[in-house]
Amino acid sequence: MTGRAMPYHCPYCADEDLRPHGERHGAWECRSCLRAFSLSFIGQLNPAHIPGRREA
């Protein structure tokens, strides 16, 4: 994730009360369900390697 990107909903309870968690980049906490979680960007998929996908 970039510095500008942020989650809009908690992945556990779907509430929107999210705040940065600690000093680690990509760490968030949900004040509704009291869970802390981390998000990171891994990379883009190669469409040629997805079974069953046909090129447009």
Side-chain angles (χ1 to χ4, degrees):
M1 295 186 71
T2 67
R4 298 175 301 204
M6 65 170 281
Y8 292 106
H9 298 21
C10 173
Y12 298 98
C13 72
D15 197 84
E16 298 177 359
D17 191 6
L18 301 177
R19 299 171 193 206
H21 179 75
E23 299 295 321
R24 202 172 119 220
H25 180 71
W28 296 90
E29 62 187 50
C30 175
R31 296 286 174 98
S32 181
C33 69
L34 303 177
R35 288 185 170 107
F37 57 93
S38 177
L39 300 176
S40 65
F41 179 74
I42 297 171
Q44 291 184 307
L45 299 176
N46 182 344
H49 293 112
I50 299 175
R53 180 178 165 99
R54 295 188 300 177
E55 293 294 320

PDB file of all heavy atoms in Angstrom, residues 1 6 13 15-16 18 24 28 30 35 47-48 50:
ATOM      1  N   MET A   1       0.834  -1.172   0.000  1.00  0.00           N
ATOM      2  CA  MET A   1       0.000   0.000   0.000  1.00  0.00           C
ATOM      3  C   MET A   1       0.882   1.240   0.000  1.00  0.00           C
ATOM      4  O   MET A   1       1.953   1.254   0.570  1.00  0.00           O
ATOM      5  CB  MET A   1      -0.894   0.010   1.231  1.00  0.00           C
ATOM      6  CG  MET A   1      -1.891  -1.108   1.257  1.00  0.00           C
ATOM      7  SD  MET A   1      -3.031  -0.969   2.618  1.00  0.00           S
ATOM      8  CE  MET A   1      -3.985   0.417   2.100  1.00  0.00           C
ATOM      9  N   MET A   6      -5.665   3.664   2.125  1.00  0.00           N
ATOM     10  CA  MET A   6      -6.099   3.208   3.432  1.00  0.00           C
ATOM     11  C   MET A   6      -7.351   2.366   3.283  1.00  0.00           C
ATOM     12  O   MET A   6      -8.094   2.539   2.324  1.00  0.00           O
ATOM     13  CB  MET A   6      -6.372   4.387   4.362  1.00  0.00           C
ATOM     14  CG  MET A   6      -7.527   5.263   3.942  1.00  0.00           C
ATOM     15  SD  MET A   6      -7.976   6.446   5.203  1.00  0.00           S
ATOM     16  CE  MET A   6      -8.916   5.443   6.303  1.00  0.00           C
ATOM     17  N   CYS A  13     -15.316  -6.928  10.791  1.00  0.00           N
ATOM     18  CA  CYS A  13     -16.689  -6.556  11.154  1.00  0.00           C
ATOM     19  C   CYS A  13     -17.315  -5.569  10.178  1.00  0.00           C
ATOM     20  O   CYS A  13     -18.487  -5.242  10.300  1.00  0.00           O
ATOM     21  CB  CYS A  13     -16.721  -5.986  12.571  1.00  0.00           C
ATOM     22  SG  CYS A  13     -15.983  -4.332  12.702  1.00  0.00           S
ATOM     23  N   ASP A  15     -16.958  -2.440   9.941  1.00  0.00           N
ATOM     24  CA  ASP A  15     -17.170  -1.102  10.473  1.00  0.00           C
ATOM     25  C   ASP A  15     -16.151  -0.138   9.864  1.00  0.00           C
ATOM     26  O   ASP A  15     -15.122  -0.562   9.327  1.00  0.00           O
ATOM     27  CB  ASP A  15     -17.040  -1.109  12.000  1.00  0.00           C
ATOM     28  CG  ASP A  15     -17.656   0.124  12.611  1.00  0.00           C
ATOM     29  OD1 ASP A  15     -18.887   0.114  12.819  1.00  0.00           O
ATOM     30  OD2 ASP A  15     -16.913   1.091  12.874  1.00  0.00           O
ATOM     31  N   GLU A  16     -16.427   1.147   9.924  1.00  0.00           N
ATOM     32  CA  GLU A  16     -15.563   2.152   9.319  1.00  0.00           C
ATOM     33  C   GLU A  16     -14.705   2.905  10.331  1.00  0.00           C
ATOM     34  O   GLU A  16     -13.981   3.822   9.945  1.00  0.00           O
ATOM     35  CB  GLU A  16     -16.420   3.139   8.535  1.00  0.00           C
ATOM     36  CG  GLU A  16     -17.179   2.485   7.397  1.00  0.00           C
ATOM     37  CD  GLU A  16     -18.094   3.462   6.678  1.00  0.00           C
ATOM     38  OE1 GLU A  16     -18.153   4.643   7.068  1.00  0.00           O
ATOM     39  OE2 GLU A  16     -18.759   3.035   5.730  1.00  0.00           O
ATOM     40  N   LEU A  18     -11.749   3.017  11.666  1.00  0.00           N
ATOM     41  CA  LEU A  18     -10.374   2.526  11.565  1.00  0.00           C
ATOM     42  C   LEU A  18      -9.389   3.645  11.835  1.00  0.00           C
ATOM     43  O   LEU A  18      -9.611   4.793  11.448  1.00  0.00           O
ATOM     44  CB  LEU A  18     -10.118   1.960  10.171  1.00  0.00           C
ATOM     45  CG  LEU A  18     -11.019   0.819   9.740  1.00  0.00           C
ATOM     46  CD1 LEU A  18     -10.689   0.425   8.314  1.00  0.00           C
ATOM     47  CD2 LEU A  18     -10.891  -0.352  10.671  1.00  0.00           C
ATOM     48  N   ARG A  24       4.108   1.045  12.659  1.00  0.00           N
ATOM     49  CA  ARG A  24       4.364   0.202  11.485  1.00  0.00           C
ATOM     50  C   ARG A  24       3.465   0.592  10.316  1.00  0.00           C
ATOM     51  O   ARG A  24       2.260   0.748  10.480  1.00  0.00           O
ATOM     52  CB  ARG A  24       4.131  -1.247  11.864  1.00  0.00           C
ATOM     53  CG  ARG A  24       4.860  -2.187  10.941  1.00  0.00           C
ATOM     54  CD  ARG A  24       4.774  -3.606  11.447  1.00  0.00           C
ATOM     55  NE  ARG A  24       4.095  -4.340  10.407  1.00  0.00           N
ATOM     56  CZ  ARG A  24       3.197  -5.265  10.596  1.00  0.00           C
ATOM     57  NH1 ARG A  24       2.842  -5.593  11.802  1.00  0.00           N
ATOM     58  NH2 ARG A  24       2.645  -5.874   9.600  1.00  0.00           N
ATOM     59  N   TRP A  28      -3.383  -1.294  11.046  1.00  0.00           N
ATOM     60  CA  TRP A  28      -4.619  -0.585  11.352  1.00  0.00           C
ATOM     61  C   TRP A  28      -5.310  -1.230  12.546  1.00  0.00           C
ATOM     62  O   TRP A  28      -5.123  -2.401  12.814  1.00  0.00           O
ATOM     63  CB  TRP A  28      -5.553  -0.618  10.148  1.00  0.00           C
ATOM     64  CG  TRP A  28      -4.982   0.093   8.984  1.00  0.00           C
ATOM     65  CD1 TRP A  28      -4.193  -0.431   7.999  1.00  0.00           C
ATOM     66  CD2 TRP A  28      -5.106   1.479   8.698  1.00  0.00           C
ATOM     67  NE1 TRP A  28      -3.827   0.542   7.119  1.00  0.00           N
ATOM     68  CE2 TRP A  28      -4.385   1.730   7.518  1.00  0.00           C
ATOM     69  CE3 TRP A  28      -5.771   2.537   9.308  1.00  0.00           C
ATOM     70  CZ2 TRP A  28      -4.310   2.989   6.952  1.00  0.00           C
ATOM     71  CZ3 TRP A  28      -5.698   3.791   8.727  1.00  0.00           C
ATOM     72  CH2 TRP A  28      -4.970   4.006   7.568  1.00  0.00           C
ATOM     73  N   CYS A  30      -9.285  -1.454  14.461  1.00  0.00           N
ATOM     74  CA  CYS A  30     -10.716  -1.178  14.381  1.00  0.00           C
ATOM     75  C   CYS A  30     -11.214  -0.920  15.798  1.00  0.00           C
ATOM     76  O   CYS A  30     -11.103  -1.784  16.670  1.00  0.00           O
ATOM     77  CB  CYS A  30     -11.463  -2.363  13.764  1.00  0.00           C
ATOM     78  SG  CYS A  30     -13.254  -2.138  13.764  1.00  0.00           S
ATOM     79  N   ARG A  35      -9.975  -5.155  16.959  1.00  0.00           N
ATOM     80  CA  ARG A  35      -8.959  -5.980  16.312  1.00  0.00           C
ATOM     81  C   ARG A  35      -7.926  -5.084  15.642  1.00  0.00           C
ATOM     82  O   ARG A  35      -8.249  -4.018  15.134  1.00  0.00           O
ATOM     83  CB  ARG A  35      -9.593  -6.889  15.262  1.00  0.00           C
ATOM     84  CG  ARG A  35     -10.403  -8.011  15.843  1.00  0.00           C
ATOM     85  CD  ARG A  35     -10.887  -8.914  14.716  1.00  0.00           C
ATOM     86  NE  ARG A  35     -11.465 -10.124  15.216  1.00  0.00           N
ATOM     87  CZ  ARG A  35     -12.771 -10.388  15.207  1.00  0.00           C
ATOM     88  NH1 ARG A  35     -13.621  -9.496  14.733  1.00  0.00           N
ATOM     89  NH2 ARG A  35     -13.221 -11.526  15.667  1.00  0.00           N
ATOM     90  N   PRO A  47      -2.281 -12.392 -15.907  1.00  0.00           N
ATOM     91  CA  PRO A  47      -3.518 -13.003 -16.405  1.00  0.00           C
ATOM     92  C   PRO A  47      -3.290 -14.307 -17.170  1.00  0.00           C
ATOM     93  O   PRO A  47      -4.150 -15.174 -17.200  1.00  0.00           O
ATOM     94  CB  PRO A  47      -4.120 -11.945 -17.329  1.00  0.00           C
ATOM     95  CG  PRO A  47      -3.424 -10.682 -17.005  1.00  0.00           C
ATOM     96  CD  PRO A  47      -2.112 -11.040 -16.402  1.00  0.00           C
ATOM     97  N   ALA A  48      -2.110 -14.480 -17.755  1.00  0.00           N
ATOM     98  CA  ALA A  48      -1.818 -15.698 -18.515  1.00  0.00           C
ATOM     99  C   ALA A  48      -1.711 -16.918 -17.607  1.00  0.00           C
ATOM    100  O   ALA A  48      -1.828 -18.051 -18.060  1.00  0.00           O
ATOM    101  CB  ALA A  48      -0.538 -15.528 -19.308  1.00  0.00           C
ATOM    102  N   ILE A  50      -3.715 -17.520 -14.902  1.00  0.00           N
ATOM    103  CA  ILE A  50      -4.963 -17.760 -14.170  1.00  0.00           C
ATOM    104  C   ILE A  50      -5.770 -18.796 -14.943  1.00  0.00           C
ATOM    105  O   ILE A  50      -6.211 -18.541 -16.059  1.00  0.00           O
ATOM    106  CB  ILE A  50      -5.757 -16.453 -13.990  1.00  0.00           C
ATOM    107  CG1 ILE A  50      -4.944 -15.441 -13.191  1.00  0.00           C
ATOM    108  CG2 ILE A  50      -7.093 -16.745 -13.303  1.00  0.00           C
ATOM    109  CD1 ILE A  50      -5.585 -14.095 -13.050  1.00  0.00           C
TER     110      ILE A  50
END
